[in-house]
Amino acid sequence: MNKTTDKTGRNDSMLRLAIMGLGSYGTRVAEAMRDCKKAKLTGVISGTPSKIKDWKGKYGIPEKNCYNYENFDAIKDNPDIDAVYVITPNALHHDEVIRVAKAGKHVICEKPMAINATEAQEMIDACKKANVKLLVGYRMHFEPHTLKIVEMRNSGDFGKILFFQGLVGFTIDDPNQWRLNKALSGGGSMMDIGIYAVNGSRYMIGEEPVWVTAEEIKNDPVKFKEGIDETMLFQFGFPSGAVASCLSTYSMNNLDRFFLNGTNGFAELMPATGYGPIRGRTNQGELTAPDVTHQTVQMDEMADIILRNKKPLIPADGEEALKDLKIIGAIYEAAKTGKKVSLT
Ligand code: NDP
């Protein structure tokens, strides 16, 4: 790779990244980044001193690049860090992303970017004002089987698109975790994994939905309290007349499938959104795209987007996340009112 240095001697071919929130997914990203060619873990932000100690040793992070939630605004004076990846519980993303933007660093934020569209818009505005990029951890946007199907659809291989089905679910265990606490999660399965079907409907069909209908099903009101959806069935209509039918749940395993149907063919991904390997086929046969570690590819691609203005085939920015959150808001409204909600 062509390496250049700026006035400060900084090598701008590598994205130097701090991870905020050293939990289960933050750890997965850090491990995957060991194989990155264009991004490097150079800092951490954590509320747990023992994790900081552990990560310093494991990833060779110097003390001067370690922060906690009280002092991380000082990151603005740290030339070793270009961007912060926010990987904390959903409801914390809004304030944390805005603080990172104010510190003048680019931000990558985990999905869901926020817990509603109003917060998402504020995050976008703050990043624009600070002149920093805002990306969202939509790892499937960089996954080769997924991209192959989107390319085939763009080439007209499936004809006119008529239907998409997105099924996402797993059985959630520990009833005390933040995912089942509305104050931290912002919602239930919809916020956590239903977002993959919402987002997938949009990039698989290649249009924005114009209406939503939805039904919420709750079989265990003790585990899934008010505001935490256990299972959501939702449907979308698109301007071309295509429709989507999706299911998101915290009460079923073996549920990870996308199906796209058009006048001339079909595409299926199963598993569609897990950590991989992703498997897929179309009416033309099995997909033979390479199996990759999603987070390694995502972080290398995001380095190109942030540092070199690369335009990905499927955008993964704040505006993209705002669209998903508007749709999720409409899904909750449709489930509550029993009415079809217009998105136009
Ligand atoms: P974890 O609970 O495993 O980790 C979250 C981390 O956030 C904690 O370990 C902690 O790190 C920090 N944190 C700060 N404040 C709190 C708080 N009040 N309660 C709990 N944790 C806190 O969650 P995940 O890593 O599974 O999820 C984090 C985010 O990543 C979520 O937004 C989730 O939706 C997203 N995610 C995305 C995935 C993907 O495939 N794109 C997959 C899994 C999750 P510390 O101790 O260092 O402060």
Side-chain angles (χ1 to χ4, degrees), residues 21-26 45-48 51 69 87-90 92-93 96 110-112 137 139 178-179 184 192 196 275 295:
L22 313 182
S24 140
Y25 196 63
I45 301 159
S46 170
T48 313
K51 289 187 196 167
Y69 299 109
I87 318 186
T88 54
N90 309 340
L92 307 179
H93 296 172
E96 290 167 347
E110 254 319 311
K111 46 56 56 179
R139 62 188 159 76
W178 67 260
R179 281 183 169 77
L184 285 171
D192 191 26
Y196 285 98
Y275 294 138
Q295 298 78 10

PDB file of all heavy atoms in Angstrom, residues 21-26 45-48 51 69 87-90 92-93 96 110-112 137 139 178-179 184 192 196 275 295, ligand 1:
ATOM      1  N   GLY A  21     -16.107   0.669  25.138  1.00  0.00           N
ATOM      2  CA  GLY A  21     -16.972  -0.426  25.572  1.00  0.00           C
ATOM      3  C   GLY A  21     -16.323  -1.761  25.248  1.00  0.00           C
ATOM      4  O   GLY A  21     -16.432  -2.263  24.131  1.00  0.00           O
ATOM      5  N   LEU A  22     -15.608  -2.302  26.242  1.00  0.00           N
ATOM      6  CA  LEU A  22     -14.812  -3.509  26.000  1.00  0.00           C
ATOM      7  C   LEU A  22     -15.614  -4.747  26.411  1.00  0.00           C
ATOM      8  O   LEU A  22     -15.209  -5.520  27.276  1.00  0.00           O
ATOM      9  CB  LEU A  22     -13.482  -3.423  26.772  1.00  0.00           C
ATOM     10  CG  LEU A  22     -12.722  -2.071  26.644  1.00  0.00           C
ATOM     11  CD1 LEU A  22     -11.404  -2.124  27.399  1.00  0.00           C
ATOM     12  CD2 LEU A  22     -12.516  -1.676  25.189  1.00  0.00           C
ATOM     13  N   GLY A  23     -16.787  -4.893  25.799  1.00  0.00           N
ATOM     14  CA  GLY A  23     -17.662  -6.025  26.118  1.00  0.00           C
ATOM     15  C   GLY A  23     -17.485  -7.138  25.117  1.00  0.00           C
ATOM     16  O   GLY A  23     -16.430  -7.294  24.504  1.00  0.00           O
ATOM     17  N   SER A  24     -18.553  -7.897  24.941  1.00  0.00           N
ATOM     18  CA  SER A  24     -18.474  -9.077  24.096  1.00  0.00           C
ATOM     19  C   SER A  24     -18.206  -8.701  22.627  1.00  0.00           C
ATOM     20  O   SER A  24     -17.306  -9.250  21.993  1.00  0.00           O
ATOM     21  CB  SER A  24     -19.765  -9.875  24.307  1.00  0.00           C
ATOM     22  OG  SER A  24     -20.233 -10.385  23.149  1.00  0.00           O
ATOM     23  N   TYR A  25     -18.953  -7.731  22.087  1.00  0.00           N
ATOM     24  CA  TYR A  25     -18.735  -7.403  20.678  1.00  0.00           C
ATOM     25  C   TYR A  25     -17.454  -6.572  20.482  1.00  0.00           C
ATOM     26  O   TYR A  25     -16.740  -6.763  19.497  1.00  0.00           O
ATOM     27  CB  TYR A  25     -19.953  -6.689  20.065  1.00  0.00           C
ATOM     28  CG  TYR A  25     -19.875  -6.708  18.559  1.00  0.00           C
ATOM     29  CD1 TYR A  25     -19.899  -7.911  17.862  1.00  0.00           C
ATOM     30  CD2 TYR A  25     -19.718  -5.531  17.832  1.00  0.00           C
ATOM     31  CE1 TYR A  25     -19.779  -7.951  16.485  1.00  0.00           C
ATOM     32  CE2 TYR A  25     -19.606  -5.562  16.443  1.00  0.00           C
ATOM     33  CZ  TYR A  25     -19.637  -6.780  15.778  1.00  0.00           C
ATOM     34  OH  TYR A  25     -19.511  -6.823  14.408  1.00  0.00           O
ATOM     35  N   GLY A  26     -17.162  -5.700  21.436  1.00  0.00           N
ATOM     36  CA  GLY A  26     -15.912  -4.936  21.357  1.00  0.00           C
ATOM     37  C   GLY A  26     -14.713  -5.868  21.284  1.00  0.00           C
ATOM     38  O   GLY A  26     -13.763  -5.648  20.519  1.00  0.00           O
ATOM     39  N   ILE A  45     -11.511   2.988  25.597  1.00  0.00           N
ATOM     40  CA  ILE A  45     -12.304   3.783  26.543  1.00  0.00           C
ATOM     41  C   ILE A  45     -13.188   2.781  27.272  1.00  0.00           C
ATOM     42  O   ILE A  45     -13.969   2.059  26.627  1.00  0.00           O
ATOM     43  CB  ILE A  45     -13.169   4.824  25.806  1.00  0.00           C
ATOM     44  CG1 ILE A  45     -12.274   5.773  24.994  1.00  0.00           C
ATOM     45  CG2 ILE A  45     -14.030   5.600  26.801  1.00  0.00           C
ATOM     46  CD1 ILE A  45     -12.972   6.493  23.874  1.00  0.00           C
ATOM     47  N   SER A  46     -13.051   2.730  28.588  1.00  0.00           N
ATOM     48  CA  SER A  46     -13.751   1.691  29.340  1.00  0.00           C
ATOM     49  C   SER A  46     -14.029   2.167  30.753  1.00  0.00           C
ATOM     50  O   SER A  46     -13.267   2.966  31.311  1.00  0.00           O
ATOM     51  CB  SER A  46     -12.867   0.432  29.388  1.00  0.00           C
ATOM     52  OG  SER A  46     -13.390  -0.511  30.290  1.00  0.00           O
ATOM     53  N   GLY A  47     -15.107   1.631  31.347  1.00  0.00           N
ATOM     54  CA  GLY A  47     -15.407   1.925  32.743  1.00  0.00           C
ATOM     55  C   GLY A  47     -14.838   0.881  33.681  1.00  0.00           C
ATOM     56  O   GLY A  47     -15.062   0.930  34.896  1.00  0.00           O
ATOM     57  N   THR A  48     -14.087  -0.072  33.131  1.00  0.00           N
ATOM     58  CA  THR A  48     -13.600  -1.190  33.948  1.00  0.00           C
ATOM     59  C   THR A  48     -12.073  -1.263  33.910  1.00  0.00           C
ATOM     60  O   THR A  48     -11.494  -1.747  32.929  1.00  0.00           O
ATOM     61  CB  THR A  48     -14.200  -2.530  33.418  1.00  0.00           C
ATOM     62  OG1 THR A  48     -15.603  -2.347  33.205  1.00  0.00           O
ATOM     63  CG2 THR A  48     -13.983  -3.668  34.396  1.00  0.00           C
ATOM     64  N   LYS A  51     -10.235  -4.410  32.720  1.00  0.00           N
ATOM     65  CA  LYS A  51     -10.257  -4.683  31.271  1.00  0.00           C
ATOM     66  C   LYS A  51      -9.193  -3.836  30.578  1.00  0.00           C
ATOM     67  O   LYS A  51      -8.509  -4.320  29.665  1.00  0.00           O
ATOM     68  CB  LYS A  51     -11.624  -4.339  30.680  1.00  0.00           C
ATOM     69  CG  LYS A  51     -12.749  -5.269  31.064  1.00  0.00           C
ATOM     70  CD  LYS A  51     -13.991  -4.888  30.256  1.00  0.00           C
ATOM     71  CE  LYS A  51     -15.249  -5.477  30.825  1.00  0.00           C
ATOM     72  NZ  LYS A  51     -16.449  -4.866  30.239  1.00  0.00           N
ATOM     73  N   TYR A  69     -15.078   6.805  30.941  1.00  0.00           N
ATOM     74  CA  TYR A  69     -16.228   7.575  30.438  1.00  0.00           C
ATOM     75  C   TYR A  69     -16.245   9.010  30.963  1.00  0.00           C
ATOM     76  O   TYR A  69     -16.918   9.861  30.394  1.00  0.00           O
ATOM     77  CB  TYR A  69     -17.546   6.861  30.778  1.00  0.00           C
ATOM     78  CG  TYR A  69     -17.631   5.492  30.139  1.00  0.00           C
ATOM     79  CD1 TYR A  69     -17.550   4.331  30.908  1.00  0.00           C
ATOM     80  CD2 TYR A  69     -17.742   5.359  28.758  1.00  0.00           C
ATOM     81  CE1 TYR A  69     -17.590   3.080  30.317  1.00  0.00           C
ATOM     82  CE2 TYR A  69     -17.782   4.107  28.160  1.00  0.00           C
ATOM     83  CZ  TYR A  69     -17.700   2.978  28.947  1.00  0.00           C
ATOM     84  OH  TYR A  69     -17.731   1.735  28.355  1.00  0.00           O
ATOM     85  N   ILE A  87     -19.134   0.904  21.168  1.00  0.00           N
ATOM     86  CA  ILE A  87     -19.707  -0.462  21.224  1.00  0.00           C
ATOM     87  C   ILE A  87     -20.295  -0.709  22.619  1.00  0.00           C
ATOM     88  O   ILE A  87     -19.971  -1.681  23.306  1.00  0.00           O
ATOM     89  CB  ILE A  87     -18.652  -1.541  20.821  1.00  0.00           C
ATOM     90  CG1 ILE A  87     -17.824  -1.084  19.612  1.00  0.00           C
ATOM     91  CG2 ILE A  87     -19.338  -2.874  20.530  1.00  0.00           C
ATOM     92  CD1 ILE A  87     -16.861  -2.131  19.038  1.00  0.00           C
ATOM     93  N   THR A  88     -21.124   0.225  23.038  1.00  0.00           N
ATOM     94  CA  THR A  88     -21.761   0.172  24.359  1.00  0.00           C
ATOM     95  C   THR A  88     -23.258  -0.123  24.168  1.00  0.00           C
ATOM     96  O   THR A  88     -23.744  -0.156  23.034  1.00  0.00           O
ATOM     97  CB  THR A  88     -21.587   1.539  25.046  1.00  0.00           C
ATOM     98  OG1 THR A  88     -22.095   2.540  24.150  1.00  0.00           O
ATOM     99  CG2 THR A  88     -20.135   1.837  25.357  1.00  0.00           C
ATOM    100  N   PRO A  89     -24.014  -0.294  25.266  1.00  0.00           N
ATOM    101  CA  PRO A  89     -25.467  -0.500  25.117  1.00  0.00           C
ATOM    102  C   PRO A  89     -26.130   0.643  24.322  1.00  0.00           C
ATOM    103  O   PRO A  89     -25.729   1.810  24.409  1.00  0.00           O
ATOM    104  CB  PRO A  89     -25.955  -0.549  26.561  1.00  0.00           C
ATOM    105  CG  PRO A  89     -24.770  -1.105  27.314  1.00  0.00           C
ATOM    106  CD  PRO A  89     -23.570  -0.481  26.663  1.00  0.00           C
ATOM    107  N   ASN A  90     -27.156   0.278  23.570  1.00  0.00           N
ATOM    108  CA  ASN A  90     -27.781   1.159  22.576  1.00  0.00           C
ATOM    109  C   ASN A  90     -28.117   2.573  23.064  1.00  0.00           C
ATOM    110  O   ASN A  90     -27.867   3.555  22.360  1.00  0.00           O
ATOM    111  CB  ASN A  90     -29.093   0.530  22.079  1.00  0.00           C
ATOM    112  CG  ASN A  90     -28.909  -0.900  21.634  1.00  0.00           C
ATOM    113  OD1 ASN A  90     -27.798  -1.322  21.348  1.00  0.00           O
ATOM    114  ND2 ASN A  90     -29.995  -1.672  21.577  1.00  0.00           N
ATOM    115  N   LEU A  92     -26.842   4.419  25.156  1.00  0.00           N
ATOM    116  CA  LEU A  92     -25.698   5.280  25.492  1.00  0.00           C
ATOM    117  C   LEU A  92     -25.058   5.882  24.245  1.00  0.00           C
ATOM    118  O   LEU A  92     -24.287   6.838  24.330  1.00  0.00           O
ATOM    119  CB  LEU A  92     -24.653   4.471  26.279  1.00  0.00           C
ATOM    120  CG  LEU A  92     -25.189   3.735  27.516  1.00  0.00           C
ATOM    121  CD1 LEU A  92     -24.071   2.962  28.205  1.00  0.00           C
ATOM    122  CD2 LEU A  92     -25.829   4.707  28.497  1.00  0.00           C
ATOM    123  N   HIS A  93     -25.369   5.310  23.072  1.00  0.00           N
ATOM    124  CA  HIS A  93     -24.689   5.728  21.841  1.00  0.00           C
ATOM    125  C   HIS A  93     -24.833   7.227  21.573  1.00  0.00           C
ATOM    126  O   HIS A  93     -23.867   7.884  21.180  1.00  0.00           O
ATOM    127  CB  HIS A  93     -25.243   4.965  20.636  1.00  0.00           C
ATOM    128  CG  HIS A  93     -25.005   3.486  20.674  1.00  0.00           C
ATOM    129  ND1 HIS A  93     -25.565   2.608  19.778  1.00  0.00           N
ATOM    130  CD2 HIS A  93     -24.269   2.698  21.511  1.00  0.00           C
ATOM    131  CE1 HIS A  93     -25.187   1.367  20.042  1.00  0.00           C
ATOM    132  NE2 HIS A  93     -24.404   1.398  21.109  1.00  0.00           N
ATOM    133  N   GLU A  96     -22.596   9.503  23.732  1.00  0.00           N
ATOM    134  CA  GLU A  96     -21.177   9.156  23.518  1.00  0.00           C
ATOM    135  C   GLU A  96     -20.706   9.588  22.126  1.00  0.00           C
ATOM    136  O   GLU A  96     -19.613  10.154  21.975  1.00  0.00           O
ATOM    137  CB  GLU A  96     -20.975   7.653  23.736  1.00  0.00           C
ATOM    138  CG  GLU A  96     -21.131   7.286  25.204  1.00  0.00           C
ATOM    139  CD  GLU A  96     -21.264   5.794  25.487  1.00  0.00           C
ATOM    140  OE1 GLU A  96     -21.478   5.009  24.535  1.00  0.00           O
ATOM    141  OE2 GLU A  96     -21.176   5.406  26.654  1.00  0.00           O
ATOM    142  N   GLU A 110     -22.041   1.356  16.902  1.00  0.00           N
ATOM    143  CA  GLU A 110     -22.725   0.081  16.690  1.00  0.00           C
ATOM    144  C   GLU A 110     -24.212   0.300  16.400  1.00  0.00           C
ATOM    145  O   GLU A 110     -24.768   1.347  16.679  1.00  0.00           O
ATOM    146  CB  GLU A 110     -22.524  -0.864  17.892  1.00  0.00           C
ATOM    147  CG  GLU A 110     -21.558  -1.990  17.594  1.00  0.00           C
ATOM    148  CD  GLU A 110     -21.723  -2.597  16.200  1.00  0.00           C
ATOM    149  OE1 GLU A 110     -22.849  -2.920  15.815  1.00  0.00           O
ATOM    150  OE2 GLU A 110     -20.725  -2.752  15.484  1.00  0.00           O
ATOM    151  N   LYS A 111     -24.815  -0.738  15.808  1.00  0.00           N
ATOM    152  CA  LYS A 111     -26.250  -0.725  15.556  1.00  0.00           C
ATOM    153  C   LYS A 111     -26.988  -1.160  16.812  1.00  0.00           C
ATOM    154  O   LYS A 111     -26.404  -1.928  17.570  1.00  0.00           O
ATOM    155  CB  LYS A 111     -26.644  -1.612  14.377  1.00  0.00           C
ATOM    156  CG  LYS A 111     -26.031  -3.018  14.307  1.00  0.00           C
ATOM    157  CD  LYS A 111     -26.165  -4.010  15.422  1.00  0.00           C
ATOM    158  CE  LYS A 111     -27.472  -4.432  15.970  1.00  0.00           C
ATOM    159  NZ  LYS A 111     -27.335  -5.453  17.059  1.00  0.00           N
ATOM    160  N   PRO A 112     -28.200  -0.712  17.065  1.00  0.00           N
ATOM    161  CA  PRO A 112     -28.838   0.421  16.407  1.00  0.00           C
ATOM    162  C   PRO A 112     -28.093   1.703  16.797  1.00  0.00           C
ATOM    163  O   PRO A 112     -27.687   1.841  17.950  1.00  0.00           O
ATOM    164  CB  PRO A 112     -30.257   0.410  16.979  1.00  0.00           C
ATOM    165  CG  PRO A 112     -30.113  -0.230  18.327  1.00  0.00           C
ATOM    166  CD  PRO A 112     -29.010  -1.227  18.188  1.00  0.00           C
ATOM    167  N   GLY A 137     -21.926   0.267  12.416  1.00  0.00           N
ATOM    168  CA  GLY A 137     -21.348  -1.081  12.295  1.00  0.00           C
ATOM    169  C   GLY A 137     -22.204  -2.076  11.529  1.00  0.00           C
ATOM    170  O   GLY A 137     -22.408  -3.205  11.997  1.00  0.00           O
ATOM    171  N   ARG A 139     -22.076  -4.574   9.476  1.00  0.00           N
ATOM    172  CA  ARG A 139     -21.013  -5.431   8.910  1.00  0.00           C
ATOM    173  C   ARG A 139     -21.469  -6.177   7.659  1.00  0.00           C
ATOM    174  O   ARG A 139     -20.654  -6.504   6.800  1.00  0.00           O
ATOM    175  CB  ARG A 139     -20.467  -6.389   9.975  1.00  0.00           C
ATOM    176  CG  ARG A 139     -21.464  -7.354  10.523  1.00  0.00           C
ATOM    177  CD  ARG A 139     -20.933  -8.145  11.715  1.00  0.00           C
ATOM    178  NE  ARG A 139     -22.050  -8.657  12.469  1.00  0.00           N
ATOM    179  CZ  ARG A 139     -22.803  -9.694  12.123  1.00  0.00           C
ATOM    180  NH1 ARG A 139     -22.507 -10.374  11.029  1.00  0.00           N
ATOM    181  NH2 ARG A 139     -23.833 -10.076  12.844  1.00  0.00           N
ATOM    182  N   TRP A 178     -28.591  -6.104  29.856  1.00  0.00           N
ATOM    183  CA  TRP A 178     -29.074  -4.785  29.410  1.00  0.00           C
ATOM    184  C   TRP A 178     -30.014  -4.891  28.225  1.00  0.00           C
ATOM    185  O   TRP A 178     -30.874  -4.025  28.031  1.00  0.00           O
ATOM    186  CB  TRP A 178     -27.895  -3.849  29.123  1.00  0.00           C
ATOM    187  CG  TRP A 178     -27.015  -4.207  27.959  1.00  0.00           C
ATOM    188  CD1 TRP A 178     -25.804  -4.835  28.002  1.00  0.00           C
ATOM    189  CD2 TRP A 178     -27.284  -3.964  26.563  1.00  0.00           C
ATOM    190  NE1 TRP A 178     -25.303  -5.004  26.727  1.00  0.00           N
ATOM    191  CE2 TRP A 178     -26.190  -4.472  25.826  1.00  0.00           C
ATOM    192  CE3 TRP A 178     -28.334  -3.372  25.858  1.00  0.00           C
ATOM    193  CZ2 TRP A 178     -26.126  -4.405  24.436  1.00  0.00           C
ATOM    194  CZ3 TRP A 178     -28.268  -3.305  24.472  1.00  0.00           C
ATOM    195  CH2 TRP A 178     -27.170  -3.814  23.783  1.00  0.00           C
ATOM    196  N   ARG A 179     -29.914  -5.940  27.406  1.00  0.00           N
ATOM    197  CA  ARG A 179     -30.797  -6.060  26.229  1.00  0.00           C
ATOM    198  C   ARG A 179     -32.269  -6.161  26.632  1.00  0.00           C
ATOM    199  O   ARG A 179     -33.147  -5.886  25.820  1.00  0.00           O
ATOM    200  CB  ARG A 179     -30.408  -7.280  25.386  1.00  0.00           C
ATOM    201  CG  ARG A 179     -29.181  -7.024  24.508  1.00  0.00           C
ATOM    202  CD  ARG A 179     -28.848  -8.213  23.625  1.00  0.00           C
ATOM    203  NE  ARG A 179     -27.863  -7.889  22.614  1.00  0.00           N
ATOM    204  CZ  ARG A 179     -26.551  -7.779  22.849  1.00  0.00           C
ATOM    205  NH1 ARG A 179     -26.078  -7.980  24.066  1.00  0.00           N
ATOM    206  NH2 ARG A 179     -25.718  -7.462  21.876  1.00  0.00           N
ATOM    207  N   LEU A 184     -31.678   0.890  28.729  1.00  0.00           N
ATOM    208  CA  LEU A 184     -30.383   0.734  28.052  1.00  0.00           C
ATOM    209  C   LEU A 184     -30.508   0.236  26.612  1.00  0.00           C
ATOM    210  O   LEU A 184     -29.649   0.529  25.773  1.00  0.00           O
ATOM    211  CB  LEU A 184     -29.485  -0.235  28.845  1.00  0.00           C
ATOM    212  CG  LEU A 184     -28.882   0.334  30.129  1.00  0.00           C
ATOM    213  CD1 LEU A 184     -28.200  -0.757  30.945  1.00  0.00           C
ATOM    214  CD2 LEU A 184     -27.883   1.457  29.824  1.00  0.00           C
ATOM    215  N   ASP A 192     -32.499  -4.887  18.500  1.00  0.00           N
ATOM    216  CA  ASP A 192     -31.250  -5.637  18.538  1.00  0.00           C
ATOM    217  C   ASP A 192     -30.985  -6.378  17.226  1.00  0.00           C
ATOM    218  O   ASP A 192     -29.913  -6.234  16.628  1.00  0.00           O
ATOM    219  CB  ASP A 192     -31.335  -6.626  19.716  1.00  0.00           C
ATOM    220  CG  ASP A 192     -30.003  -7.285  20.016  1.00  0.00           C
ATOM    221  OD1 ASP A 192     -28.961  -6.684  19.717  1.00  0.00           O
ATOM    222  OD2 ASP A 192     -30.010  -8.412  20.550  1.00  0.00           O
ATOM    223  N   TYR A 196     -31.673  -5.949  11.456  1.00  0.00           N
ATOM    224  CA  TYR A 196     -31.023  -6.621  10.310  1.00  0.00           C
ATOM    225  C   TYR A 196     -32.041  -6.872   9.196  1.00  0.00           C
ATOM    226  O   TYR A 196     -31.710  -6.785   8.009  1.00  0.00           O
ATOM    227  CB  TYR A 196     -30.404  -7.963  10.733  1.00  0.00           C
ATOM    228  CG  TYR A 196     -29.132  -7.825  11.522  1.00  0.00           C
ATOM    229  CD1 TYR A 196     -29.133  -7.900  12.904  1.00  0.00           C
ATOM    230  CD2 TYR A 196     -27.920  -7.613  10.875  1.00  0.00           C
ATOM    231  CE1 TYR A 196     -27.966  -7.767  13.629  1.00  0.00           C
ATOM    232  CE2 TYR A 196     -26.736  -7.483  11.587  1.00  0.00           C
ATOM    233  CZ  TYR A 196     -26.768  -7.558  12.970  1.00  0.00           C
ATOM    234  OH  TYR A 196     -25.610  -7.423  13.679  1.00  0.00           O
ATOM    235  N   TYR A 275     -22.383 -14.434  12.304  1.00  0.00           N
ATOM    236  CA  TYR A 275     -20.971 -14.084  12.123  1.00  0.00           C
ATOM    237  C   TYR A 275     -20.307 -14.886  10.997  1.00  0.00           C
ATOM    238  O   TYR A 275     -19.172 -14.638  10.645  1.00  0.00           O
ATOM    239  CB  TYR A 275     -20.208 -14.288  13.431  1.00  0.00           C
ATOM    240  CG  TYR A 275     -20.641 -13.347  14.539  1.00  0.00           C
ATOM    241  CD1 TYR A 275     -20.798 -13.794  15.845  1.00  0.00           C
ATOM    242  CD2 TYR A 275     -20.883 -12.005  14.273  1.00  0.00           C
ATOM    243  CE1 TYR A 275     -21.189 -12.930  16.852  1.00  0.00           C
ATOM    244  CE2 TYR A 275     -21.284 -11.133  15.272  1.00  0.00           C
ATOM    245  CZ  TYR A 275     -21.439 -11.608  16.565  1.00  0.00           C
ATOM    246  OH  TYR A 275     -21.823 -10.756  17.550  1.00  0.00           O
ATOM    247  N   GLN A 295     -15.781  -8.506  10.671  1.00  0.00           N
ATOM    248  CA  GLN A 295     -15.295  -7.280  11.308  1.00  0.00           C
ATOM    249  C   GLN A 295     -13.936  -6.855  10.741  1.00  0.00           C
ATOM    250  O   GLN A 295     -13.617  -5.665  10.749  1.00  0.00           O
ATOM    251  CB  GLN A 295     -15.211  -7.477  12.822  1.00  0.00           C
ATOM    252  CG  GLN A 295     -16.559  -7.773  13.497  1.00  0.00           C
ATOM    253  CD  GLN A 295     -17.026  -9.223  13.329  1.00  0.00           C
ATOM    254  OE1 GLN A 295     -16.278 -10.092  12.870  1.00  0.00           O
ATOM    255  NE2 GLN A 295     -18.267  -9.476  13.712  1.00  0.00           N
TER     256      GLN A 295
HETATM  257  P1  NDP B   1     -21.847  -6.210  26.180  1.00  0.00           P
HETATM  258  O1  NDP B   1     -22.777  -6.115  27.337  1.00  0.00           O
HETATM  259  O2  NDP B   1     -21.116  -7.472  25.983  1.00  0.00           O
HETATM  260  O3  NDP B   1     -20.763  -5.033  26.242  1.00  0.00           O
HETATM  261  C1  NDP B   1     -21.127  -3.694  26.395  1.00  0.00           C
HETATM  262  C2  NDP B   1     -19.987  -2.955  27.069  1.00  0.00           C
HETATM  263  O4  NDP B   1     -20.363  -1.586  27.174  1.00  0.00           O
HETATM  264  C3  NDP B   1     -19.711  -3.387  28.507  1.00  0.00           C
HETATM  265  O5  NDP B   1     -18.841  -4.486  28.591  1.00  0.00           O
HETATM  266  C4  NDP B   1     -19.093  -2.145  29.110  1.00  0.00           C
HETATM  267  O6  NDP B   1     -17.719  -2.077  28.752  1.00  0.00           O
HETATM  268  C5  NDP B   1     -19.774  -1.010  28.360  1.00  0.00           C
HETATM  269  N1  NDP B   1     -20.825  -0.352  29.156  1.00  0.00           N
HETATM  270  C6  NDP B   1     -20.824   0.963  29.465  1.00  0.00           C
HETATM  271  N2  NDP B   1     -21.888   1.267  30.214  1.00  0.00           N
HETATM  272  C7  NDP B   1     -22.575   0.129  30.384  1.00  0.00           C
HETATM  273  C8  NDP B   1     -23.791  -0.192  31.079  1.00  0.00           C
HETATM  274  N3  NDP B   1     -24.492   0.736  31.743  1.00  0.00           N
HETATM  275  N4  NDP B   1     -24.212  -1.477  31.050  1.00  0.00           N
HETATM  276  C9  NDP B   1     -23.530  -2.418  30.381  1.00  0.00           C
HETATM  277  N5  NDP B   1     -22.388  -2.171  29.705  1.00  0.00           N
HETATM  278  C10 NDP B   1     -21.907  -0.909  29.711  1.00  0.00           C
HETATM  279  O7  NDP B   1     -22.728  -5.847  24.889  1.00  0.00           O
HETATM  280  P2  NDP B   1     -22.378  -6.169  23.376  1.00  0.00           P
HETATM  281  O8  NDP B   1     -20.923  -6.015  23.172  1.00  0.00           O
HETATM  282  O9  NDP B   1     -23.012  -7.432  22.981  1.00  0.00           O
HETATM  283  O10 NDP B   1     -23.179  -4.990  22.608  1.00  0.00           O
HETATM  284  C11 NDP B   1     -22.699  -3.671  22.562  1.00  0.00           C
HETATM  285  C12 NDP B   1     -23.259  -2.969  21.310  1.00  0.00           C
HETATM  286  O11 NDP B   1     -22.816  -3.676  20.163  1.00  0.00           O
HETATM  287  C13 NDP B   1     -24.775  -2.924  21.225  1.00  0.00           C
HETATM  288  O12 NDP B   1     -25.190  -1.703  20.651  1.00  0.00           O
HETATM  289  C14 NDP B   1     -25.122  -4.068  20.289  1.00  0.00           C
HETATM  290  O13 NDP B   1     -26.341  -3.895  19.593  1.00  0.00           O
HETATM  291  C15 NDP B   1     -23.935  -4.058  19.357  1.00  0.00           C
HETATM  292  N6  NDP B   1     -23.652  -5.369  18.765  1.00  0.00           N
HETATM  293  C16 NDP B   1     -23.446  -5.453  17.424  1.00  0.00           C
HETATM  294  C17 NDP B   1     -23.172  -6.655  16.831  1.00  0.00           C
HETATM  295  C18 NDP B   1     -22.912  -6.737  15.369  1.00  0.00           C
HETATM  296  O14 NDP B   1     -22.808  -7.835  14.851  1.00  0.00           O
HETATM  297  N7  NDP B   1     -22.770  -5.613  14.672  1.00  0.00           N
HETATM  298  C19 NDP B   1     -23.125  -7.897  17.610  1.00  0.00           C
HETATM  299  C20 NDP B   1     -23.285  -7.696  19.033  1.00  0.00           C
HETATM  300  C21 NDP B   1     -23.556  -6.472  19.571  1.00  0.00           C
HETATM  301  P3  NDP B   1     -16.618  -1.452  29.741  1.00  0.00           P
HETATM  302  O15 NDP B   1     -16.638  -2.351  30.953  1.00  0.00           O
HETATM  303  O16 NDP B   1     -15.369  -1.544  28.972  1.00  0.00           O
HETATM  304  O17 NDP B   1     -17.037  -0.051  30.045  1.00  0.00           O
END
